[in-house]
């Protein structure tokens, strides 16, 4: 399940992995399911 941050100050990326260190830094209140609009895939999720 892809997810991204609703915080506009965060990078415009979405995450595919729940274990992504960057994705884990998103607070639960800012975490939104889906890829969002205009977001690119997170490089660390792909690694
Ligand atoms: Zn990620």
């Amino acid at each position: 399940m892809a997810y991204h941050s609703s915080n506009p100050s965060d990078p415009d990326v979405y995450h595919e992995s729940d274990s992504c260190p960057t994705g884990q830094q998103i607070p639960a209140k800012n975490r939104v399911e889906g890829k969002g609009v205009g977001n690119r895939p997170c490089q660390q999720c792909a690694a």
Side-chain angles (χ1 to χ4, degrees):
M1 179 65 73
Y3 62 98
H4 65 281
S5 173
S6 63
N7 188 336
S9 69
D10 282 343
D12 291 334
V13 297
Y14 64 84
H15 306 275
E16 302 270 17
S17 172
D18 281 334
S19 58
C20 174
T22 305
Q24 287 181 336
Q25 290 180 11
I26 301 174
K29 64 183 176 69
N30 288 345
R31 180 167 162 156
V32 183
E33 287 188 1
K35 295 181 179 179
V37 178
N39 291 343
R40 292 169 298 162
C42 169
Q43 296 291 327
Q44 287 184 283
C45 287

